Amino acid sequence: MFIPKQNRIAVFSYLFKEGVCVVKKDTRSPTHPHIEGPTNLEVLMLMKSLESKDYIRITFNWQYNYCYLTAEGIVYLREYLGLPEEIVPATHKKNAGRPEGRDREENQDRPPAFRGGDRAGGFGRGGGM
């Protein structure tokens, strides 16, 4: 299938930036929901082509293809797009740590939620008639 170069570059850029791509098995859809430019069929065919070269791994579930970039795929796309070694996909970036939120130690005086206690009976608790 012939795919215009600008659409191929748009798909490869998105795949390299995110590290993953979700493609619905819908050949009639005029656009892909996350990538500007190519049709869903073009994205589907590019993913099949990359899978045959072992650049991505595809998991198919409920009419969706979940495409994961492999190490060989990262090297190939970096070379194809002309990117430096410092740029890596979002799935390969290290997290700085735990996101801001409540601390675990602040509520030590309160008992943990749903841990046994004084409730008797109920479904699955052995109580009953």
Side-chain angles (χ1 to χ4, degrees):
M1 174 176 197
F2 176 74
I3 299 172
K5 188 171 184 176
Q6 67 182 19
N7 290 353
R8 181 183 302 263
I9 289 175
V11 172
F12 286 174
S13 297
Y14 178 82
L15 180 61
F16 189 83
K17 183 179 82 169
E18 297 295 326
V20 295
C21 185
V22 179
V23 185
K24 185 175 183 180
K25 187 183 171 188
D26 180 15
T27 57
R28 295 178 180 242
S29 178
T31 60
H32 188 273
H34 301 116
I35 305 171
E36 188 73 30
T39 65
N40 202 50
L41 178 63
E42 290 173 342
V43 177
L44 188 63
M45 292 299 117
L46 281 171
M47 293 301 136
K48 283 174 61 176
S49 174
L50 290 174
E51 183 190 29
S52 70
K53 299 173 188 173
D54 288 332
Y55 293 146
I56 62 171
R57 181 177 52 89
I58 294 180
T59 302
F60 184 75
N61 190 15
W62 286 73
Q63 299 299 313
Y64 282 89
N65 289 302
Y66 298 94
C67 309
Y68 308 99
L69 203 54
T70 62
E72 296 86 15
I74 292 172
V75 172
Y76 172 75
L77 289 180
R78 186 176 284 137
E79 183 179 303
Y80 187 88
L81 297 171
L83 299 173
E85 291 286 325
E86 300 85 42
I87 300 176
V88 294
T91 54
H92 289 259
K93 291 181 182 175
K94 302 286 184 199
N95 283 342
R98 191 168 175 195
E100 292 297 321
R102 67 182 182 111
D103 292 330
R104 298 278 182 191
E105 290 82 27
E106 70 184 22
N107 293 327
Q108 290 294 332
D109 57 336
R110 192 174 65 179
F114 304 112
R115 298 283 185 215
D118 57 341
R119 297 190 310 180
F123 183 76
R125 292 199 166 99
M129 299 169 76

